[in-house]
Amino acid sequence: NAGVIQTPRHKVTGKGQEATLWCEPISGHSAVFWYRQTIVQGLEFLTYFRNQAPIDDSGMPKERFSAQMPNQSHSTLKIQSTQPQDSAVYLCASSVTTYEQYFGPGTRLTVL
Amino acid sequence: GMPVEQNPPALSLYEGADSGLRCNFSTTMKSVQWFQQNHRGRLITLFYLAQGTKENGRLKSTFNSKERYSTLHIKDAQLEDSGTYFCAGSRNMGYKLTFGTGTSLLVDP
């Protein structure tokens, strides 16, 4: 069991470019969560899927951010027209429906 | 106020000392997870509790949903315990986590 896999581990983009972050949940886990960690805001929820269906995206910025889960083995978080304030560590977690969440190592996004 | 208040924000201990961390929730949570974030930034689950108390080696955690708090107790602190500890509550099983602001723990020899 490799745990939750996130790629890339580090990404540097220029202002205005697009960034796509990937998450592979633990096999058999039906829920996938995305969180963001910054020094100022701490750890904050973005969005989550259950059985590939979007359930709650209340933490997602309304513009430029989108997430998808096209199949049970991966989810993507896309940020269009990245801005410096998008710089953060983006964390993906997965869980069996009603139990603890297991976190991946995160993707550190730096927007120059 | 903050949905999850975590105290203390920072803690310095000598090896062998005992101490405790606490999270107070502004709303009723159905479960809590405690994490240690290591120097590489990885969130490692220490405990998942829906109620009561759990122990694992030198660590012990309690969750009281009705009183809206959870605690993490560290006994006989070791150098490798250094890191940042987070609590996170979930209002429903399998629901999103709301994190505390973290406790930065430094254990000195």
Side-chain angles (χ1 to χ4, degrees):
Chain A
N1 187 345
V4 176
I5 298 171
Q6 289 189 249
T7 55
R9 294 294 309 278
H10 303 273
K11 186 169 184 67
V12 179
T13 66
K15 184 178 173 182
Q17 292 183 326
E18 183 178 286
T20 300
L21 313 180
W22 292 69
C23 171
E24 181 179 329
I26 294 171
S27 177
H29 282 195
S30 54
V32 170
F33 301 80
W34 285 95
Y35 297 86
R36 176 169 66 177
Q37 186 175 23
T38 61
I39 298 293
V40 174
Q41 299 292 332
L43 279 150
E44 52 183 354
F45 166 79
L46 294 175
T47 186
Y48 91 99
F49 299 84
R50 187 181 299 146
N51 296 319
Q52 299 173 236
I55 302 298
D56 181 350
D57 67 354
S58 59
M60 291 276 272
K62 295 305 175 196
E63 297 177 356
R64 302 186 295 104
F65 283 65
S66 62
Q68 293 184 327
M69 191 161 184
N71 57 59
Q72 63 184 8
S73 63
H74 88 272
S75 174
T76 58
L77 179 67
K78 184 181 290 187
I79 309 171
Q80 294 178 311
S81 186
T82 55
Q83 303 296 309
Q85 62 265 29
D86 300 332
S87 296
V89 176
Y90 290 82
L91 292 159
C92 176
S94 72
S95 74
V96 177
T97 305
T98 57
Y99 292 97
E100 65 186 279
Q101 295 179 27
Y102 293 84
F103 280 76
T107 295
R108 181 175 295 277
L109 175 67
T110 302
V111 182
L112 301 176
Chain B
M2 295 289 288
V4 182
E5 280 190 11
Q6 186 172 344
N7 287 294
L11 184 59
S12 187
L13 298 174
Y14 286 112
E15 269 187 303
D18 301 345
S19 192
L21 287 59
R22 183 179 175 109
C23 282
N24 292 319
F25 305 107
S26 63
T27 187
T28 300
M29 299 291 185
K30 291 291 181 69
S31 65
V32 67
Q33 275 184 254
W34 282 90
F35 300 90
Q36 180 192 31
Q37 190 166 41
N38 62 20
H39 66 281
R40 293 183 177 176
R42 189 88 184 226
L43 280 172
I44 300 163
T45 296
L46 300 174
F47 292 103
Y48 170 85
L49 297 105
Q51 62 178 5
T53 298
K54 286 187 178 179
E55 284 192 65
N56 184 2
R58 296 180 293 102
L59 302 180
K60 179 175 160 181
S61 181
T62 296
F63 174 48
N64 188 320
S65 177
K66 185 178 177 183
E67 300 295 325
R68 300 184 181 178
Y69 75 88
S70 179
T71 60
L72 176 68
H73 192 257
I74 302 172
K75 189 164 59 174
D76 184 24
Q78 301 296 305
L79 296 177
E80 61 264 27
D81 295 334
S82 295
T84 304
Y85 290 77
F86 291 96
C87 67
S90 180
R91 283 164 51 189
N92 277 302
M93 296 302 195
Y95 196 58
K96 64 187 179 186
L97 292 173
T98 301
F99 281 83
T101 47
T103 296
S104 178
L105 172 64
L106 179 63
V107 180
D108 286 318

